[in-house]
Amino acid sequence: MATVTLHGDSIHTIGELPATGKSAPDFKLTKSDLSSATLADYKGKKIVLNIFPSIDTGTCAKSVRQFNKKASELDNTTVLCISKDLPFAQARFCGAEGIENVEMLSDFRDGNFGKAYGLAFSDGPLMPLHSRAVVVLNGEGEVTYTEQVPEIVDEPNYEAALAALSNG
């Protein structure tokens, strides 16, 4: 279990992020067209998993904008922005913001992604949403970097995540 804060108040996740050097857990998430996406769909690509509670908050929206901006400069890399928001809300946000370089995926159906990656909240006002985290995978699906953002209203360390892509 990880402990993070929301405006200084402690809340917990159900586990820990996947360990660096290990294979990432598989997932089945929902795309904006309601089709499914799995980890195997991205085989051979480096992946940045930008995970957050809800696209309808300022920090979450900013992380999608920042990764969208950076993703256009990355070779053989896919940025997946993951939350429990409905795919319709994710698509609405991307359309309104002109977001084209990241892929939005939803864990709204069964929450298995949040469970497998240990980042679903187990208590607090945001339960059962996801904590703010970044997980970077190499082309073989191994975890090369993780960041559990300690204060939910803070942004992730974009530069460290992107640096992990060149090291992975």
Side-chain angles (χ1 to χ4, degrees):
M1 162 176 56
T3 301
V4 297
T5 58
L6 175 61
H7 300 293
D9 295 327
S10 294
I11 54 178
H12 304 93
T13 64
I14 63 168
E16 300 288 333
L17 294 175
T20 302
K22 301 289 185 182
S23 293
D26 197 11
F27 56 74
K28 184 176 181 182
L29 296 165
T30 306
K31 296 180 179 185
S32 61
D33 65 2
L34 301 180
S35 65
S36 294
T38 66
L39 182 57
D41 295 337
Y42 305 96
K43 186 171 175 61
K45 290 187 171 250
K46 295 177 184 179
I47 303 170
V48 176
L49 303 174
N50 175 36
I51 308 152
F52 49 87
S54 175
I55 195 63
D56 288 323
T57 66
T59 305
C60 300
K62 188 170 184 180
S63 73
V64 172
R65 288 185 201 104
Q66 286 297 317
F67 277 118
N68 180 65
K69 181 178 173 184
K70 299 289 187 184
S72 65
E73 305 165 3
L74 305 173
D75 290 327
N76 194 40
T77 302
T78 299
V79 178
L80 304 177
C81 295
I82 303 168
S83 69
K84 291 188 86 169
D85 291 299
L86 290 175
F88 314 112
Q90 293 174 333
R92 174 187 40 77
F93 172 81
C94 289
E97 294 281 332
I99 303 290
E100 298 177 345
N101 300 316
V102 299
E103 188 172 336
M104 300 294 283
L105 297 175
S106 176
D107 190 24
F108 85 101
R109 286 200 166 124
D110 58 21
N112 283 337
F113 175 84
K115 295 170 189 166
Y117 280 72
L119 48 76
F121 289 121
S122 62
D123 60 20
L126 297 178
M127 187 179 88
L129 300 178
H130 298 151
S131 65
R132 184 176 318 287
V134 176
V135 178
V136 176
L137 311 177
N138 65 19
E140 289 77 49
E142 294 174 351
V143 178
T144 61
Y145 172 84
T146 65
E147 177 190 9
Q148 175 67 71
V149 179
E151 169 59 51
I152 296 167
V153 299
D154 290 344
E155 293 177 68
N157 185 336
Y158 304 109
E159 296 310 316
L162 296 173
L165 291 169
S166 57
N167 298 335

